[in-house]
Each structure stands twice: as structure tokens, then as C-alpha cells.
Amino acid sequence: MKCGNPKIIIKRKQSGQTLCKSCFVESIQKKAIKTIKQENLIDKGDNVLVALSGGKDSVATLDILNTYKERNIIELCAVTIDEGIANYRNDGVAIAKKHAKRLGIEHKVVSFKYSFDITLDEIMKNPNHRISCSYCGVFRRWIINRAARDFEADKIATGHNLDDEVQAILMNYLEGNIDNLTMIGAKTMSHSPLFRPKIKPLREIPEREIGLYTIAKDLDVHLAGCPYAQESFRGEVSEIIKNLSKNHPTIMYSTLRGFDKIKLALKKEHKHDFQFDTCIKCGEPSSNEICRVCTFLDELGKA
């Protein structure tokens, strides 16, 4: 315990540290700020676009980055994506709007329906659909990159946490996807000028602690889980990691640390053999003549 306050809200299994509410909030903010400094995630004068879903991770990211905005170090803007999932997305959109208005930042909501003339619910009714996460990840990235250019943002901040990073490492290793492994990190750059760098200030903070942070700060968040999440490979990997963490509370940290040590060697040995051009249909950056978004839309009859 740091301050002597007997009202403990967390005991960290990985370290044995016990913290009261104020000390816990301070520790989360310091951890994120340390990541930002060590990884050089933001520069003075940056306009940072937050991918704001209204969930705990994105709201916490916005809250922490707002401390930089309050000190006139950066500017903030946000985009919220409405995938078109009935009885799920509307609450998150409303919460995202509320936080953007509360903090006085520019904010836009962009839907799959507006961008692609189809909702995720409509996609999943197609008899030949792929798993939902295949569409969601690709379509969301396409929208976020366009929004970043519209806002003239220098960086894109996402709410990826420690659990997300470790899941991504394990998933891509199991699938043998070396290209994706080399791109996992606190800051993702691209050779295409149409892409903005992506940053992850919460990368070293466990999901559970981010949830507790939003409660401790009384931040309104959308807690409902995506109804399509049960079909994802990520969900299966997440369960494996959670089960391992019960008896090995430091396993996620050691996995992340180990990966970060070998990543440079991995990038050196595994050179990308593709170059970005632009998709002949939508004009977005693509390593092929037609990007994945337009490929998916062709399959769905929404070219």
C-alpha cells in the first residue's frame, strides 16, 4: 500500500501491491504516460484521433490523452464506428458522443451502412459470409484511416490493452502469420503516406485494471460484449490466456516482454516483400490491385 489509506480497491496478484482508489488511478495514468514517453508515441503539437467505441478501453484512452490536451501538448479528435449491430451499438455511440461533448473535442460517427451500404447484421445474414471479425476489423481500419485524414490527424490512438496485445501475439504465432507479428507493438508505422501511425498508450495495462480505472473515475462506459464475439479465434485464445494467468499471474507481462525482445530480430530477418499502392476501386492503400475491403464487398454483392 502506498499512502496508508485502508480502503483498498485492488491487490495486484502479479506484484502483491495493494492500492486505494486515488493511488490506483495515479498508477494507471503513470503507466500509460511511461509507455507514451518510452515509445515516443506522441509529439508536442500532434492532433491525435481516438478510435472511440464508448467501451472501457477507448474511454480510458481518451481520458488519459485528455490530460495532454489540457496542458496544450496535443489536440484531440475522435471517431466512432457504427457497425450496424441491433441492440448493441447504439448505447456505445451515445456514450462516445457524451464524452466527446464533455471534453469539447471534434467527433464524428461513421456507419458501415453509410460507408459500404451494408450493416454487419446484414452481412451475417448472407449465407456465404465469413466470420464477423474478418469484416469488422478490415472495415473499421478503412473507416478510421479515412477519418484520420479528414481530421488531419497525425496519429491514431486505440484502446488496445495488455490482454489484447498478448492475444494478438499468440494468435499470429499459432497461425504462422509473421507479417502481422512484425507489426505488433506500441506504435505501428506504414510505408504508405495514406496511413497514419497507430499508437497504443494502454498496451501494458491489463484489461481488468482498465475496467476498474473507469469505475474509480466514474466514467460512463459501454460494458456489453459484441454478440458476434463468440465466433472469434481471439475469444478462444483469450480463454487460454485467462486460464494460464490463474496460476501464473505474470504470464501476460513475460509474454509481452519476451516478444518485444525478439521483435527487432524478427523484423530484420523477415522483410516484407510487398509495397503499398492504391486500390483501383476505392483509392485506399493496398498491397494488391484490389484491397480487402473491396474484395469483401465484391463477395457480398456490394461492389
Side-chain angles (χ1 to χ4, degrees):
M1 188 166 59
K2 292 179 68 177
C3 66
N5 188 337
K7 294 183 178 179
I8 303 303
I9 68 165
I10 187 172
K11 179 176 181 179
R12 288 173 166 150
K13 288 179 67 177
Q14 67 271 22
S15 64
Q17 187 182 39
T18 56
L19 297 171
C20 69
K21 183 166 77 170
S22 61
C23 289
F24 169 71
V25 166
E26 182 184 357
S27 75
I28 295 296
Q29 292 173 340
K30 283 184 174 179
K31 185 70 172 176
I33 290 168
K34 182 180 178 183
T35 298
I36 289 169
K37 287 181 178 178
Q38 285 185 339
E39 302 289 347
N40 192 28
L41 299 190
I42 60 176
D43 299 298
K44 185 173 176 58
D46 273 346
N47 184 21
V48 181
L49 173 75
V50 178
L52 183 63
S53 68
K56 63 186 185 309
D57 302 310
S58 65
V59 169
T61 300
L62 183 70
D63 182 73
I64 290 169
L65 289 179
N66 189 57
T67 63
Y68 285 81
K69 177 179 177 288
E70 289 176 335
R71 288 180 285 153
N72 297 314
I73 297 172
I74 63 172
E75 292 296 323
L76 279 178
C77 52
V79 63
T80 300
I81 298 171
D82 181 355
E83 304 91 344
I85 305 173
N87 303 315
Y88 168 69
R89 177 46 67 200
N90 287 347
D91 290 344
V93 170
I95 288 170
K97 286 180 177 179
K98 185 176 80 171
H99 284 298
K101 183 177 180 181
R102 175 177 64 86
L103 299 176
I105 66 171
E106 278 194 277
H107 176 237
K108 68 161 69 174
V109 179
V110 184
S111 69
F112 279 15
K113 189 69 173 178
Y114 173 81
S115 300
F116 312 117
D117 194 31
I118 193 167
T119 67
L120 190 59
D121 282 346
E122 289 169 346
I123 291 172
M124 299 313 289
K125 291 175 183 176
N126 188 307
N128 299 316
H129 69 74
R130 301 170 183 244
I131 63 169
S132 60
C133 292
S134 296
Y135 300 107
C136 206
V138 170
F139 287 0
R140 285 170 61 87
R141 282 192 294 273
W142 189 95
I143 292 172
I144 289 169
N145 276 310
R146 282 207 164 190
R149 296 201 303 273
D150 290 345
F151 278 120
E152 297 184 345
D154 301 291
K155 310 276 174 59
I156 298 168
T158 64
H160 289 83
N161 56 51
L162 177 64
D163 299 55
D164 295 326
E165 284 290 271
V166 173
Q167 289 161 18
I169 291 166
L170 187 54
M171 285 166 59
N172 285 293
Y173 177 76
L174 292 174
E175 293 179 324
N177 195 331
I178 307 302
D179 281 339
N180 279 1
L181 274 174
T182 61
M183 292 187 285
I184 294 172
K187 188 177 187 178
T188 306
M189 307 291 289
S190 172
H191 295 297
S192 171
L194 293 176
F195 280 132
R196 296 294 185 267
K198 295 181 177 67
I199 61 172
K200 303 171 186 173
L202 307 186
R203 183 179 185 248
E204 298 196 23
I205 304 174
E207 180 180 27
R208 172 175 171 265
E209 294 193 12
I210 293 170
L212 187 57
Y213 175 84
T214 61
I215 293 170
K217 290 213 68 182
D218 197 25
L219 296 170
D220 191 12
V221 299
H222 185 216
L223 293 174
C226 175
Y228 295 115
Q230 67 271 13
E231 10 173 284
S232 71
F233 180 45
R234 180 180 286 273
E236 296 179 62
V237 170
S238 174
E239 283 303 309
I240 293 171
I241 295 168
K242 283 179 182 176
N243 288 332
L244 284 171
S245 296
K246 290 175 184 176
N247 294 324
H248 308 279
T250 62
I251 194 75
M252 288 196 293
Y253 287 103
S254 59
T255 301
L256 188 70
R257 297 280 182 268
F259 172 74
D260 283 349
K261 287 176 182 176
I262 66 172
K263 187 175 68 174
L264 288 177
L266 195 64
K267 291 179 78 170
K268 184 178 178 181
E269 291 297 320
H270 184 78
K271 301 286 188 183
H272 290 290
D273 57 0
F274 59 83
Q275 301 222 343
F276 281 112
D277 203 340
T278 53
C279 173
I280 62 171
K281 292 197 170 190
C282 70
E284 289 298 298
S286 174
S287 56
N288 297 304
E289 189 176 62
I290 300 176
C291 72
R292 290 185 71 195
V293 166
C294 291
T295 299
F296 286 167
L297 293 174
D298 280 345
E299 293 175 358
L300 296 165
K302 291 288 181 181

